[in-house]
Structure formats: structure tokens, C-alpha cells
Amino acid sequence: MEAQPRILVVEDDRRLARMLAEILESEGYAVTLAYDGQRALHEGLTREFDVLLLDRGLPAIEGLDVLTRLRSRGVLAPVLVLSALGTPADRVEGLDRGAEDYLAKPFDVDELLARLRALRRRSIARVPVLTVPGGSFDAAGRTVSTADGAQVVLSEREAALLEELARNPRLVFPRAELRDLVFPDADDDGVVDTYVHYLRRKLGRPVITTVRGVGYRLGAPA
Ligand code: CA
């Protein structure tokens, strides 16, 4: 069974936000609410979501600015903008600035739900090619193509660990979280250190950065 999809709902109209949360929860989503742009940015950068529903007119940081900042910091989750700004020019602006879809208020609930399903299908089907220090990583093929044209093949678990880090390149992952995500059968966080060592041996030390006392994140881009 597919895991419960996680959605970040960014909407400053609290009544509408709560209504959306209720509808989405009844559709099986795990919903996180943010009522302003600052909060949305914080949630988007520190937690992982399968899809974002984003209002434009927001206190603190405007919705499309939130989107730009999330994208510039490597957050790739699909975004559906839900806004009262609904002219063709508004939609074009939203799509050009990185939204995958755009729906004007007032909206039809069934249409909103269908669009969210479509976004998630597309993002699940997308074969991810992720950027890692020194090359590009084809997670499905478990290979890293380096700048000098070499192909480095990873084991299944090496690839799974690198994929977790590369999908959220700015996030610091606690070792225990990586263990849960990649090595659920292991009873010791040391397995994470071991696989970080393997990845560094194959891809060079800078591929993963150690954050002392916390865990690991993807290395800085070369
Ligand atoms: Ca608003």
C-alpha cells in the first residue's frame, strides 16, 4: 500500500485552510497547515512533502516568493497554486515561476482533488535524475555520471541513502532518521556511517558532508 501522501497547505484565510485540511484528510492526506509565507518556507525547508498547495496573497512572504525560495533551495515537491488571482497572466506568472499547476478561486473541490492526484501521479512516475557533488545521479539506474564521463554504479543501499540526501540537498538528516529511511532492519546508527564511508570511497569525500553532533547532508555543489 502506498504511504499516506503528505501535503503542505499554505493559506492565510484560516476558515478556508481548515476546510481544505478537513477535505484533504478525508481523502487520506497527512496535512500540515501554514498561515503565512514565513511559516510556509520554514515547513517546506525542514520537512518533506509529496505536494504543496499554495496561496499567493499571504502575510510575511508572498506565495510565489515562497515558491522561488523553496525551488532555489532544492525543494522539488510539485506545487499547485490556489489563488484568487486567476487571469491568464496570473496563471502564466505562477507557472513560469515554478508551479506545476494553477487553480483559481473560487474552485471546485472535486477538481482540486483530481488535480492533486494528477500531480502526484506525475511526480511518482518521474524518473529522478538528481544532482550530486561531482555529477548527476540516476536513482532508478543506481548510477552516478561524473563530470569526466565516468559511470559509477552503486549498490541498492548506497543508492537509497544517496537518494534520500540528494532529494533534499539542503536538509541535515539525523543519523537515526537515515537509518529508519534506508536501513529499517538495522539496530544501530553505525550502519549509516558505514554506507557514508562506502559512498565517499566511490564518489569522493565531498559527496556527503558530516554535520557534527547531528548527522549528514549532501555535500556542497562542486
Ligand atoms: Ca490569501
Side-chain angles (χ1 to χ4, degrees):
M1 203 185 85
E2 199 196 333
Q4 195 179 24
R6 295 153 298 182
I7 186 167
L8 175 62
V9 175
V10 185
E11 173 59 67
D12 62 320
D13 176 341
R14 293 190 180 223
R15 220 166 54 107
L16 175 58
R18 280 193 292 270
M19 189 194 89
L20 286 166
E22 215 168 285
I23 292 166
L24 290 164
E25 276 162 6
S26 75
E27 290 291 308
Y29 287 86
V31 179
T32 300
L33 286 177
Y35 299 125
D36 65 64
Q38 190 67 48
R39 188 78 209 162
L41 193 60
H42 175 78
E43 294 290 351
L45 290 175
T46 54
R47 300 168 65 165
E48 223 185 305
F49 295 98
D50 298 296
V51 62
L52 276 66
L53 186 59
L54 182 64
D55 185 22
R56 285 186 64 171
L58 290 171
I61 308 172
E62 202 265 341
L64 292 185
D65 289 335
V66 171
L67 176 54
T68 302
R69 294 198 207 180
L70 290 174
R71 291 286 186 253
S72 74
R73 295 178 70 176
V75 175
L76 301 173
V79 171
L80 192 160
V81 171
L82 182 63
S83 174
L85 302 170
T87 69
D90 293 327
R91 293 162 189 260
V92 166
E93 188 187 8
L95 297 170
D96 277 350
R97 290 185 56 185
E100 274 68 26
D101 199 0
Y102 199 108
L103 189 59
K105 295 173 183 168
F107 60 96
D108 178 85
V109 168
D110 289 331
E111 182 179 5
L112 173 66
L113 293 173
R115 284 175 181 243
L116 288 173
R117 284 195 297 273
L119 274 186
R120 292 187 35 244
R121 274 200 303 276
R122 266 188 272 157
S123 71
I124 290 167
R126 192 173 56 194
V127 175
V129 175
L130 299 161
T131 302
V132 297
S136 61
F137 171 40
D138 170 359
R142 302 201 321 243
T143 46
V144 174
S145 309
T146 64
D148 57 11
Q151 300 264 324
V152 181
V153 179
L154 304 180
S155 74
E156 198 171 317
R157 290 183 142 196
E158 288 166 353
L161 177 58
L162 187 60
E163 184 174 352
E164 290 298 337
L165 296 169
R167 278 187 176 281
N168 289 282
R170 304 289 165 147
L171 279 193
V172 177
F173 287 84
R175 292 158 81 236
E177 188 178 334
L178 289 172
R179 188 193 69 185
D180 284 350
L181 288 167
V182 184
F183 312 96
D185 303 330
D187 23 54
D188 179 321
D189 295 346
V191 67
V192 176
D193 306 328
T194 303
Y195 276 84
V196 166
H197 171 74
Y198 292 158
L199 283 168
R200 284 175 170 160
R201 208 169 50 189
K202 285 189 173 177
L203 299 169
R205 188 155 183 87
V207 71
I208 293 170
T209 300
T210 302
V211 181
R212 289 204 187 287
V214 186
Y216 296 105
R217 67 172 172 81
L218 195 70

